Amino acid sequence: MDGLLGAIGLDEGQESAYRALVALGAAEVPDLAHRLTLPVPQTERALRHLERQGLAAQSSSRPGRWVAAPPGVALGALLTQQRHELEQAELAAVLLAQEYRAEAAEPAVHDLVEVVQGASAVAHRFHQLQLGAAQEVCALVRGRSQVVTGSDNEAEERAPVRGVAYRVVIEREVLTAPRGIREASSALARGERVRVTGGVPTKLVIADRTLAMVPLTSRGAEPAALVVHASGLLESLMGLFEAVWRESLPLRLGASGAPEESDGGPDATDLEILSLLLAGMTDASVAKHLELGLRTVQRRVRRLMELSGVTTRLQLGWHAYERGWVAR
């Protein structure tokens, strides 16, 4: 249970002291220190902090004896204060965002690109970019260096909870890294869409199609990166990602953990559905003709669109012709 009161400014020792004092009602410093297995000076410092927070007070009748403030009242007051401060911070964030949007309506050319230098600064900006994403993160991952995948990536771990989708294209070499397969498996388990290709042109991360990050230096030099804001350059980077995504193959991991790249092609039933749809039949008519459920037909079509990297059925038809799935 320790650590639950960190949000109101108590560290583990202070929280333990307060919990012990609540359990005892009141206690002398030596007795409390013994109960907490802490030195007396450290226990006194914890009590002084609790006193400043309004969570404890010295007994007026017995000097040296400390009494716990009622949790319902004392903690309630602190939580109310925290909520008020959080509301003020949220209001400030909204106002700053409005000011930023107004300023960025016609950004100066030199403000469209940031140069970030140093390993620590690059890593911080990278995590910040992901944490700021609200809809989708797209990434190209190359070589053995970790860019997006990784169990230590807090932003990516929390992405499903925040509703942020990930589309990632990795080079096959990434899977040969010591943790490559495990990280790919974790990414798939989180619901990320992962594709594999022989090679990607550059490492790249794009958040919400409004902010991108690409490496600036080659191996061996001090790490540096470019952060590109919404602009024609960013649109070009997004186009690069989509082109690589379309030509890459979805990654699947077999029961043994070995990678299985699907060939991106439909099975016999998919071919029949495609042919009938291209002949002008409706989903319902196709389902009835093939003796399938309507949802089954629609699910298969969505899967084919995902495999093809397209967003409309018209594009799917063109893709089917280009790949030779159906005859002209």
Side-chain angles (χ1 to χ4, degrees):
M1 293 289 288
D2 283 349
L4 297 180
L5 300 182
I8 59 173
L10 300 186
D11 62 25
E12 187 174 337
Q14 293 158 358
E15 180 174 342
S16 297
Y18 182 62
R19 288 179 178 277
L21 204 57
V22 167
L24 296 172
E28 305 282 345
V29 174
D31 295 336
L32 192 60
H34 178 73
R35 184 184 180 92
L36 297 172
T37 65
L38 292 176
V40 169
Q42 186 174 345
T43 302
E44 288 180 334
R45 285 196 297 272
L47 289 169
R48 293 294 181 186
H49 182 85
L50 294 177
E51 185 179 34
R52 289 192 295 272
Q53 294 282 68
L55 296 174
Q58 295 189 63
S59 172
S60 57
S61 59
R62 296 179 59 180
R65 187 175 178 84
W66 288 79
V67 180
V73 176
L75 292 179
L78 287 175
L79 289 172
T80 300
Q81 179 183 348
Q82 289 285 70
R83 291 192 189 98
H84 175 71
E85 292 174 355
L86 183 58
E87 289 172 357
Q88 293 300 310
E90 289 175 341
L91 178 60
V94 169
L95 294 175
L96 285 171
Q98 292 173 345
E99 182 178 343
Y100 178 81
R101 284 195 297 269
E103 187 68 25
E106 296 182 3
V109 173
H110 63 271
D111 290 331
L112 296 177
V113 177
E114 304 173 39
V115 178
V116 183
Q117 293 182 305
S120 176
V122 169
H124 176 75
R125 197 73 173 92
F126 168 73
H127 289 294
Q128 185 184 52
L129 183 146
Q130 291 188 82
L131 283 170
Q135 298 174 333
E136 183 183 51
V137 173
C138 301
L140 301 180
V141 183
R142 66 182 304 186
R144 290 172 177 260
S145 59
Q146 296 179 355
V147 175
V148 174
T149 55
S151 58
D152 59 340
N153 192 335
E154 182 182 0
E156 193 174 5
E157 291 287 344
R158 294 183 177 181
V161 178
R162 297 188 296 122
V164 179
Y166 270 71
R167 284 193 293 153
V168 183
V169 180
I170 61 177
E171 286 185 339
R172 290 188 184 89
E173 185 183 357
V174 174
L175 296 174
T176 66
R179 296 168 56 188
I181 296 293
R182 185 171 62 185
E183 290 173 359
S185 178
S186 297
L188 291 171
R190 287 192 297 269
E192 296 181 22
R193 297 163 65 189
V194 182
R195 294 190 175 189
V196 182
T197 187
V200 300
T202 181
K203 291 186 287 187
L204 171 66
V205 182
I206 304 175
D208 291 340
R209 298 175 180 261
T210 58
L211 203 62
M213 191 169 181
V214 292
L216 182 61
T217 51
S218 58
R219 294 177 180 176
E222 181 185 21
L226 288 179
V227 176
V228 182
H229 294 255
S231 61
L233 176 57
L234 180 61
E235 291 176 8
S236 298
L237 292 173
M238 195 68 214
L240 172 64
F241 172 83
E242 294 293 0
V244 176
W245 175 263
R246 283 194 299 269
E247 297 303 316
S248 302
L249 302 177
L251 173 68
R252 294 178 183 141
L253 296 177
S256 64
E260 299 176 352
E261 297 170 38
S262 78
D263 61 6
D267 59 22
T269 302
D270 289 333
L271 287 175
E272 288 185 285
I273 292 173
L274 273 174
S275 298
L276 294 174
L277 288 175
L278 290 172
M281 294 179 65
T282 64
D283 290 0
S285 298
V286 171
K288 184 177 180 180
H289 182 79
L290 298 179
E291 297 182 348
L292 296 172
L294 176 58
R295 290 185 179 179
T296 299
V297 171
Q298 293 171 337
R299 184 175 64 251
R300 282 176 172 267
V301 172
R302 284 197 300 271
R303 173 183 168 275
L304 289 173
M305 291 175 66
E306 180 180 331
L307 291 177
S308 304
V310 301
T311 56
T312 69
R313 293 194 174 196
L314 180 61
Q315 293 172 327
L316 176 60
W318 177 259
H319 187 90
Y321 282 131
E322 288 293 301
R323 289 290 181 96
W325 291 352
V326 292
R328 292 185 182 274

